[in-house]
Each structure stands twice: as structure tokens, then as C-alpha cells.
Amino acid sequence: MKKVERINTIMRYINNRSRFTITEIMREFNISRSTATRDIREIEAMGMPLVAEVGRDGGYFVMNNSVLPTVRFTDNEIKALFIAFMATRNLQLPYLKSRQSLAEKLLGLISENQQDELVLLNQLLLFEGTNPNNPDLLDLSDLPHPMLEKLIEILLLDSYLLITIEEEKIIKSYSIYLLHLYREKSLWLIDGFDLKDEKRRTIPVDNLTNVEPYHTKKKLSKKKILEKLRKQEEVINLVLELGPKAIAQFKKYHPLKVSISYTNPYQTTAILKTFINVNNSDELTEITNWLLFLGGDIEVEEMPQELRESLRERLHLFCP
């Protein structure tokens, strides 16, 4: 670890503790006593108010109401931040209002020459979802559903939720244990375990009308929930071998529940195993489209007959 990086890490370490000793710093960062002492002196010189305790068990503590010294960004770090902002436009991400203010603050901190460079980068670099006729560095107003941030804030406190949704003008309520919150096909989705029906349930965040912590005396533990889900797992009915071209397509897009296992150390071949519910017409259509997207660099080991017929019908449309 470089010296500057080590000192910054030590600063974060001690700022989160009421008290620390040189021995603890030595053990935590695997450094000698002389190096630890020298780093502490440099941190004091940078402005962190440390108070030394005298005695056999003496150490240091940070004075109350102290803060870390000003963070300074390199020229490349500034570029990395703004390129990340540009690349995530139109993705309906949470906390975009804060991202907007952060971008404005950073612009106010950098030199005019750096600002000109960022404007030029904004004109030259185009990402998915960017409007080339109106690229604006601070055009970050692609706000998600208003319930998303509320959902995340509650999730940070508790994964047991009572949610209310509106579906086809019908109001429904579910008590769920949230497993994952993910984004697929431009939609934010809740992957949860229905605590009443004891089964997996997927719910679009766009359908939410209210969410709050689910308070009840008797709750299934996370361990029990995962055990029940494992017992409900469907038998694998689709097995494919993927070549390098199909793997490249897989990396561009794949359904969340589908994963691959590489079969050689160079990651040029892989195997895909999953379950397809052929009785669900939407799922059958989706997987058909996706297999065509993967292309011809695949070998079928196992596939439901319904999926084979769906692929034949689709190919027949293009090659009658």
C-alpha cells in the first residue's frame, strides 16, 4: 500500500473510533512502530485534532466535533467521476437529486481549464441513452419512481416489509421479506418472499403505493426463508454450451436469474443451466428472443420441446 493511501486509510480508521493505540495501528495495517508513529505525526500535522493519553496503557483519541481534512481529487479522479455520471444517464437511479448537487459542487471546485476539458468530454463521449443533439453535463433529471428512495431507506433498517400495490386498479397488500431489489428492462423490481403464501414473488416498484416496515412478533428467519426457497427450486430443463461469441452476447445482456459457469481457464467456453416455465407464455417468448440474441455459437444439451417449437416458429418467420 502506498504511503498516501495508507495514511488516508488510517485517518478513516481512527476517525471512526473513540480511542486507539499505536499497537492497534501496527496490527491493523501491518506496519512497524516507527512507521505507525511517523504516520500519526503526519496526520496530526494535516489538521486532525488528536489528544495523547499518558500512561502505561496510553493511546490517542480524536477531539469531539472533529472532521476529516479536506478531500482533494486528482485531475483523473475528477474525470472518472463525471464520466460515471454521464454513463448512468437515463437509468432511473435513486438519489439523482443528490448526484445533481454533487456534480455542481465539483464543478465549482475545479479550475476553468478542467471545466473546459469536461465539457469537451461531454461532447465527444456518447453513452447509451444520451441525446447527441443536446448533451448536457448536468442533465441528470431522469428520476426513478418516487417510491424507490423510500423503499431503499426502509430496507437499510429492515428487510421485512408491508407493501401496498395497485394492479389493474385493484389495491393489494403483501407482507414480504425482500431478497433483492434490481433493475431489468428499464424497470425496478422487488424480488421477495411472500411471508403469507410462503413463495417467491416479483413486484414492480412502479406498482407501489406504500411501503413500511412489517412489525409482527413471529417472523420467519432469513435462514428458514432460504431453506423454503431451495425446496421450491424447479428442476433444470435447459442446458446449453456456450462458445466465445455466445459468451460475449451473454455479457451484453442476460435475464437476472440466468448464470453461466466457465468450463476452461480462458473463459472461452461455458455451460448454462436453468429452468424455463414453458407454461408461462411471456417467459417462453422472452427466452426465445434471448436465445436468438445469443446467436449460433451454442450447443443444446437439454431443451423443453415447447421452447424448440417456439424457436422454429420464430426462425420460420425470417426464413420461410
Side-chain angles (χ1 to χ4, degrees):
M1 185 184 293
K2 294 181 180 179
K3 180 181 177 182
V4 173
E5 182 182 357
R6 185 182 68 245
I7 288 178
N8 286 335
T9 306
I10 293 174
M11 289 168 65
R12 289 193 293 270
Y13 175 86
I14 64 181
N15 197 63
N16 290 324
R17 284 160 177 78
S18 58
R19 183 182 179 280
F20 69 95
T21 65
I22 291 291
T23 302
E24 289 172 345
I25 297 294
M26 292 167 56
R27 184 170 57 249
E28 181 71 22
F29 297 96
N30 194 26
I31 55 178
S32 65
R33 179 172 291 276
S34 59
T35 300
T37 302
R38 189 163 53 249
D39 286 350
I40 293 300
R41 287 173 180 167
E42 286 197 30
I43 289 171
E44 285 183 291
M46 292 170 70
M48 179 171 277
L50 301 178
V51 178
E53 295 177 309
V54 181
R56 182 177 178 181
D57 298 318
Y60 294 83
F61 65 89
V62 185
M63 289 180 62
N64 292 333
N65 301 319
S66 65
V67 296
L68 287 173
T70 303
V71 176
R72 293 179 174 84
F73 294 100
T74 67
D75 189 53
N76 283 344
E77 288 170 341
I78 290 288
K79 289 186 177 70
L81 282 170
F82 277 96
I83 287 176
F85 288 167
M86 293 160 62
T88 54
R89 282 178 178 148
N90 300 313
L91 292 184
Q92 290 76 50
L93 301 176
Y95 305 108
L96 280 184
K97 290 181 179 178
S98 297
R99 190 176 70 168
Q100 172 87 12
S101 62
L102 175 61
E104 292 170 347
K105 288 177 182 177
L106 285 172
L107 280 175
L109 293 173
I110 62 179
S111 67
E112 186 174 340
N113 182 54
Q114 286 176 311
Q115 292 182 22
D116 291 341
E117 288 181 338
L118 294 178
V119 170
L120 180 58
L121 279 176
N122 187 57
Q123 294 171 346
L124 297 175
L125 301 179
L126 295 181
F127 297 90
E128 186 177 1
T130 303
N131 180 358
N133 298 318
N134 185 29
D136 182 355
L137 195 61
L138 296 180
D139 185 13
L140 306 171
S141 59
D142 50 319
L143 299 177
H145 190 280
M147 291 299 298
L148 182 60
E149 287 187 18
K150 180 179 180 181
L151 175 61
I152 292 174
E153 292 298 326
I154 294 176
L155 278 177
L156 293 173
L157 303 173
D158 197 349
S159 295
Y160 294 88
L161 306 174
L162 180 63
I163 63 174
T164 305
I165 68 170
E166 184 174 352
E167 212 168 38
E168 297 179 354
K169 297 184 179 180
I170 298 175
I171 303 297
K172 301 178 182 178
S173 293
Y174 299 101
S175 53
I176 67 164
Y177 177 86
L178 195 140
L179 300 163
H180 299 100
L181 179 62
Y182 66 98
R183 189 171 180 273
E184 188 173 67
K185 295 182 179 178
S186 302
L187 291 175
W188 282 97
L189 301 167
I190 294 171
D191 176 25
F193 179 80
D194 189 317
L195 296 168
K196 180 181 179 182
D197 295 340
E198 296 193 349
K199 66 178 184 180
R200 204 175 203 119
R201 190 179 292 278
T202 302
I203 300 169
V205 171
D206 286 357
N207 291 354
L208 285 183
T209 59
N210 191 41
V211 57
E212 55 189 68
Y214 177 56
H215 298 296
T216 182
K217 293 181 179 179
K218 294 183 179 180
K219 288 181 180 178
L220 275 177
S221 67
K222 181 179 179 180
K223 182 179 179 181
K224 289 287 187 183
I225 289 172
L226 295 178
E227 285 177 358
K228 287 181 178 292
L229 286 172
R230 277 193 291 269
K231 291 178 182 179
Q232 295 173 14
E233 286 180 353
E234 300 92 344
V235 178
I236 289 171
N237 61 1
L238 178 64
V239 180
L240 305 174
E241 290 184 7
L242 278 62
K245 293 180 180 179
I247 291 173
Q249 291 295 92
F250 180 91
K251 290 178 179 178
K252 291 178 184 178
Y253 169 73
H254 61 87
L256 185 73
K257 72 173 187 176
V258 179
S259 62
I260 58 175
S261 300
Y262 293 104
T263 52
N264 72 11
Y266 305 104
Q267 299 188 354
T268 56
T269 58
I271 191 162
L272 181 155
K273 297 180 179 181
T274 190
F275 169 80
I276 305 300
N277 182 2
V278 295
N279 296 317
N280 184 322
S281 60
D282 290 339
E283 183 174 345
L284 187 60
T285 300
E286 179 183 346
I287 201 69
T288 300
N289 293 337
W290 182 64
L291 289 177
L292 292 172
F293 168 78
L294 288 183
D297 195 17
I298 59 176
E299 291 186 15
V300 178
E301 288 192 6
E302 183 179 346
M303 179 182 287
Q305 184 61 32
E306 293 87 348
L307 182 55
R308 289 180 186 273
E309 292 174 0
S310 179
L311 284 167
R312 287 196 195 99
E313 289 176 4
R314 188 61 57 82
L315 290 171
H316 183 70
L317 290 175
F318 299 104
C319 304

